[in-house]
Amino acid sequence: MTLTTEDLQRLFAGIAEDIAAERDHLCELDGAIGDGDHGLAMDAGCQAAAKAVGAIDAGVAPTTAFNVAAKAFLNAVGASSGPLYATAFMRAGAAAKDKQVLSDDDFLRVFAAMAQGIQERGKAEPGEKTMVDAWKPAADAALDAWQSGKPLPQCFEAGERAARAGCEATSNMTAAKGRASRLGDRVIGHIDPGAASAVIIVAAIAKFAQRQWLSHHTS
Ligand code: ADP
Ligand code: MG
């Protein structure tokens, strides 16, 4: 399949829609082990990113679209998720290398670069009860599937499954990063809100990849 800035406009709109639908739930999760604003932060960031990307000329390169998304997300969000996702989108832009059209391989690399950017910006390792516990296994699983020759939709399906499992696993963890790290054992039994929103985003990307791939392979 191929991917242009016009496709990314649909992707960002889809992510914003799915995050908006879970806004209150994400706030509840953050209310249990943080300050209760995660749904508001992610909703504001994703809406701003979708709006900004939607407003650019569809003829510009995907790299520009990701950079515009990064800036919009950062400006809209005061919480720690702001710089984490802004870095993810900046890295996505760099991975897209100013190409006008992205291939399957490019899109997989963009996805992996987002996960790596989040990990490097927040300096969190897996097991520290953060969004990295969803993003890192998702990227690893998607890349593994790609390297073993699976078609793109199956790679993102594997990524989504891994993100869900990683998010579930945060329930039994204590937190080593972010606000929840001040609460010690009291966070056990609660999943990490950032991991939960990461699952929504990974799932939105998987859904988008599936549709995109089908539209290129059924004609
Ligand atoms: P804040 O904690 O500033 O209110 P949010 O509520 O938007 O920010 O986001 C909280 C989420 O951010 C956490 O659930 C966690 O997943 C993620 N997070 C916090 N610190 C880090 C970090 N250093 N690295 C990766 N993710 C982090
Ligand atoms: Mg919060």
Side-chain angles (χ1 to χ4, degrees):
M1 77 175 211
T2 57
L3 217 133
T4 63
T5 287
E6 202 180 336
D7 299 317
L8 290 180
Q9 290 175 326
R10 280 208 318 283
L11 172 60
F12 276 100
I15 290 172
E17 197 177 312
D18 292 353
I19 287 287
E22 293 297 319
R23 186 189 67 181
D24 295 349
H25 180 231
L26 292 171
C27 283
E28 278 167 34
L29 294 175
D30 197 30
I33 64 168
D35 58 355
D37 68 348
H38 189 61
L40 295 174
M42 291 302 295
D43 187 36
C46 292
Q47 297 293 346
K51 194 171 168 211
V53 171
I56 62 179
D57 184 332
V60 304
T63 293
T64 304
F66 284 121
N67 289 339
V68 162
K71 197 171 163 204
F73 199 103
L74 188 64
N75 288 340
V77 178
S80 29
S81 41
L84 293 166
Y85 276 102
T87 304
F89 296 140
M90 294 281 287
R91 296 294 186 86
K97 291 181 183 160
D98 285 318
K99 289 186 180 180
Q100 207 55 37
V101 177
L102 304 184
S103 66
D104 287 4
D105 188 62
D106 293 330
F107 194 43
L108 251 311
R109 315 246 157 239
V110 159
F111 183 68
M114 289 178 67
Q116 202 181 341
I118 288 170
Q119 195 176 352
E120 288 176 11
R121 185 69 176 79
K123 300 187 168 59
E125 294 297 328
E128 295 189 327
K129 200 180 184 94
T130 72
M131 60 176 76
V132 168
D133 288 302
W135 272 107
K136 170 119 174 61
D140 289 349
L143 280 179
D144 274 1
W146 182 242
Q147 269 143 23
S148 63
K150 300 263 168 52
L152 197 72
Q154 284 181 38
C155 299
F156 282 108
E157 249 173 61
E160 180 182 341
R161 270 198 305 277
R164 284 186 198 286
C167 176
E168 289 307 316
T170 63
S171 179
N172 292 325
M173 296 173 189
T174 55
K177 294 283 188 302
R179 288 175 199 284
S181 65
R182 302 171 201 158
L183 298 177
D185 288 350
R186 279 185 284 161
V187 303
I188 291 179
H190 299 280
I191 61 165
D192 176 64
S197 60
V199 169
I200 298 167
I201 294 178
V202 171
I205 294 172
K207 185 168 63 176
F208 167 82
Q210 174 109 35
R211 285 196 191 141
Q212 188 74 4
W213 197 86
L214 281 174
S215 76
H216 280 82
H217 293 264
T218 52
S219 50

